[in-house]
Amino acid sequence: MTTATHTAKKIDELYELISDIEMALMTTRRPDGRLVSRPMASQKRDPVADLWFVTNVETHKIDELEHDPNVNFGYLDEGSMEWVSVSGTARISQDRELIRRLHEDSWTMWFNDEGGARDGGPDDPRLALILVEVHSAVYSKQKHSTPRTLFELAKGRITGEQPDVAREETLSEAELKG
């Protein structure tokens, strides 16, 4: 019982951290084997996937995901220094009904209006979703208030001792699917 509660708390903290950080760095593997990262806007939590993002199907990341669907998303809150690293498997969806349901007007800023349906709206054929099944996650959550954290950092700098300002949590695939 305690483990389930603890796991549920960690999952809630994970999504809370992600929702507070607007951008993630998505890392994919190119067909030549090299890794590449790019910023992706985090979308609101939805049962459609563990994590999901909006993309243009006319970008290199689509080729990379078709070659190797393994992805990593890195998040950093510069104010609190809290961070998240999520590994999973991505798939591309161009399901128009799903895109219409999830569509937000703010997406249009990422799609130039080329006339007709290519306007960034829900029927734009360039619009696709990256749906991610999360396999593992690691995150760091601040232990104290920001002033206390700053004090602990200053104390560590003066004493040379590592400051104890955050706790690191890990979520395994079993915990995430449990």
Side-chain angles (χ1 to χ4, degrees):
M1 186 80 164
T2 305
T3 303
T5 302
H6 185 64
T7 297
K9 180 182 179 189
K10 290 193 303 185
I11 290 171
D12 287 344
E13 284 182 343
L14 172 72
Y15 280 107
E16 178 186 317
L17 286 167
I18 288 172
S19 72
D20 289 344
I21 303 171
E22 187 174 330
M23 298 298 277
L25 280 179
M26 178 177 80
T27 303
T28 57
R29 185 173 305 280
R30 298 185 329 201
D32 67 4
R34 300 207 187 265
L35 300 174
V36 62
S37 298
R38 82 269 294 148
M40 297 291 291
S42 299
Q43 301 299 312
K44 65 183 179 226
R45 191 173 179 182
D46 191 278
V48 68
D50 296 331
L51 293 175
W52 64 280
F53 302 84
V54 178
T55 192
N56 185 332
V57 295
E58 299 172 356
T59 63
H60 291 293
K61 69 178 133 324
I62 299 301
D63 298 331
E64 294 160 6
L65 291 171
E66 287 173 349
H67 172 74
D68 183 347
N70 293 293
V71 292
N72 182 268
F73 291 90
Y75 297 83
L76 173 65
D77 181 328
E78 291 184 57
S80 68
M81 297 308 289
E82 293 172 321
W83 56 266
V84 177
S85 176
V86 176
S87 295
T89 305
R91 67 181 174 85
I92 305 299
S93 173
Q94 287 189 278
D95 178 331
R96 284 296 134 210
E97 285 186 38
L98 183 58
I99 291 171
R100 284 186 197 102
R101 180 175 73 79
L102 297 171
H103 188 270
E104 294 186 16
D105 290 337
S106 63
W107 296 357
T108 59
M109 75 175 137
W110 301 106
F111 296 86
N112 294 331
D113 188 346
E114 297 176 358
R118 295 172 69 91
D119 61 359
D123 294 314
D124 189 321
R126 299 171 296 174
L127 236 69
L129 305 176
I130 298 174
L131 306 175
V132 180
E133 178 184 353
V134 175
H135 298 296
S136 65
V138 180
Y139 66 88
S140 177
K141 181 88 174 134
Q142 194 176 43
K143 282 185 173 179
H144 313 291
S145 67
T146 300
R148 169 88 186 268
T149 297
L150 293 172
F151 170 78
E152 293 294 330
L153 290 169
K155 183 174 101 177
R157 191 168 179 91
I158 292 168
T159 64
E161 295 177 12
Q162 183 175 4
D164 185 23
V165 296
R167 63 183 165 77
E168 190 173 298
E169 298 287 353
T170 300
L171 282 158
S172 68
E173 189 165 10
E175 288 177 296
L176 290 162
K177 301 305 174 209

